[in-house]
């Protein structure tokens, strides 16, 4: 049954949209929100995927909190519908809906007159979870968020900002909900605690695969945490994509400015070998004579040729400097080429590449595609060009 795929068929105006319910968790369909005549959100339609970390980002006042609060019905749309697992949330009881989701806000929302233990066990107690299980879960939560168990009996005022937010996270996760809503949970923290909590949250997510909807106005935070980023401007959803595409292909000038030109260079995991490689390396076949190959190098002003077969399989590199004897001229390139040369894949990150260049001390690294065909070449100068771009673009 578990691998049984459901397909839902929606008739949407004149279009027929087929959605695979398995991948779908929260769906916004033409959602708008107005306060009096002030349109805050305009006709928002998008799907938040199950088990993914989705970040909602935009400038202050653009409607992020409003959108998030619509998911747990703290705010009701003026128009449009929201579905969770294919069910219209209008038909789900408010309290039931809210208890099925974790909710973390900037000001922690911890009750000041209750201990940490009482704060994080409130909902499980209301849900009448067995006392032993509650105790066990609280200890496990403290462990999971990296806090000492002794803090369980403290009051919120006795915690640091970072500890308070960790407790907020523990309270959201303790009932094991599928959906966690987080509204700028780290915005008020100092940079060190902030980074530590981001790392902690990523580790949790790697283990638990919750559907997390996270609001922030900080692009660095979004890029670090998100599987997908939804960018809002002026009440509209202007781009919804994976961080890499947002960095590389901003949808409009607003996104471009919001992302900032430098940003891609501070996120090396999103710069790929294919972004900086030479895509038409000079090649030769293995049965070409060394004489012919040397001439080709001279003409093309290169110091080596990539040796490939007629299917573009990479065989080796012929360096001009490996030809030292006259007799070589009439021999085949295959005799003089260097084999077993380290290669990279075009999808590798430049961090991987930089490591390889440093370790191998080679000046040329062939680039292979998914089928292991030669598709490019990294030279020292292409690397340097790419890195210097960073400083050129800053101006
Ligand atoms: N209850 C309300 N009545 C009138 N306007 C509101 C109300 N709540 C929010 N707003 C306005 O809606 C806009 C979006 O608010 P919000 O969702 O909190 O933005 P964000 O979280 O992106 O900073 C803001 O301009 C805000 O002033
Ligand atoms: Mg807000």
């Amino acid at each position: 049954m578990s691998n049984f795929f459901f397909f839902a068929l929606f008739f949407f105006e004149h279009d027929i949209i087929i959605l695979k319910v398995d991948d779908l968790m929260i769906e916004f369909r033409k959602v708008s929100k107005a306060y009096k005549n002030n349109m805050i959100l305009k006709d928002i339609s998008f799907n938040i995927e199950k088990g993914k970390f989705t970040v909602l980002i935009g400038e202050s006042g653009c409607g992020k909190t409003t959108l998030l609060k619509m998911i747990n019905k703290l705010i009701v749309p003026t128009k449009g519908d929201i579905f969770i697992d294919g069910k219209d949330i209008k038909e789900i009881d408010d309290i039931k809906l809210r208890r099925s989701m974790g909710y973390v806000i900037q000001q922690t929302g911890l009750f000041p007159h209750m201990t940490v233990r009482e704060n994080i066990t409130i909902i499980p107690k209301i849900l009448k979870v067995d006392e032993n299980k509650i105790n066990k879960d609280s200890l496990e939560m403290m462990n999971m968020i990296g806090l000492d168990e002794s803090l369980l009996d403290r009051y919120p005022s006795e915690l640091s900002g970072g500890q308070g937010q960790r407790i907020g996270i523990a309270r959201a996760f303790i009932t094991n909900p599928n959906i966690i809503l987080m509204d700028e949970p780290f915005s008020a923290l100092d940079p060190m605690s902030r980074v530590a909590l981001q790392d902690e949250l990523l580790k949790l997510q790697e283990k638990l695969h919750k559907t997390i909807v996270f609001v922030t106005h900080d692009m660095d935070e979004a890029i670090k945490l998100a599987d997908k980023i939804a960018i809002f401007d002026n009440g509209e959803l202007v781009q919804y994509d994976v961080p890499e595409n947002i960095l590389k292909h901003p949808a409009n000038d607003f996104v471009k400015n919001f992302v900032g030109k430098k940003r891609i260079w501070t996120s090396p995991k999103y710069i790929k070998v294919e972004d900086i490689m030479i895509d038409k390396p000079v090649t030769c076949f293995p049965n070409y004579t060394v004489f012919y190959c040397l001439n080709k190098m001279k003409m093309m002003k290169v110091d080596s040729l990539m040796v490939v077969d007629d299917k573009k399989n990479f065989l080796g590199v012929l360096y001009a400097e490996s030809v030292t004897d006259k007799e070589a001229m009439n021999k085949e390139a295959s005799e003089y080429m260097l084999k077993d040369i380290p290669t990279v894949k075009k999808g590798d990150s430049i961090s991987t590449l930089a490591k390889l260049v440093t370790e191998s001390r080679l000046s040329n690294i062939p680039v292979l595609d998914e089928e292991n065909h030669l598709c490019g070449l990294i030279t020292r100068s292409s690397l340097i060009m790419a890195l210097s771009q960073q400083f050129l673009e800053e101006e």
Side-chain angles (χ1 to χ4, degrees), residues 34 46 118 157-158 193 224 286 295:
F46 74 120
E118 286 162 346
S157 61
E158 301 169 295
S193 322
K224 176 170 176 184
N295 262 323

Side-chain angles (χ1 to χ4, degrees), residues 34-36 38-41 58-69 75 183-184 215:
Y35 289 109
K36 299 218 174 89
N38 192 8
M39 277 289 255
I40 304 299
L41 290 166
E59 283 169 354
S60 178
C62 75
K64 306 179 294 290
T65 295
T66 305
L67 199 78
L68 196 73
K69 282 184 172 172
I75 292 177
D183 195 351
E184 309 221 20
V215 166

Side-chain angles (χ1 to χ4, degrees), residues 107-161:
Q107 311 76 5
T108 73
L110 297 176
F111 295 112
H113 59 285
M114 291 183 180
T115 63
V116 165
R117 187 193 306 276
E118 286 162 346
N119 262 292
I120 63 178
T121 58
I122 256 185
I123 301 295
K125 275 181 186 154
I126 291 173
L127 296 174
K128 298 208 161 51
V129 177
D130 172 73
E131 187 97 18
N132 288 327
K133 181 166 164 46
I134 292 182
N135 282 331
K136 200 174 130 255
D137 288 350
S138 336
L139 293 179
E140 198 184 312
M141 279 300 133
M142 293 300 273
N143 211 338
M144 227 168 63
I145 53 163
L147 285 185
D148 197 87
E149 291 164 15
S150 65
L151 292 184
L152 278 170
D153 297 311
R154 296 242 188 115
Y155 285 89
S157 61
E158 301 169 295
L159 305 174
S160 72

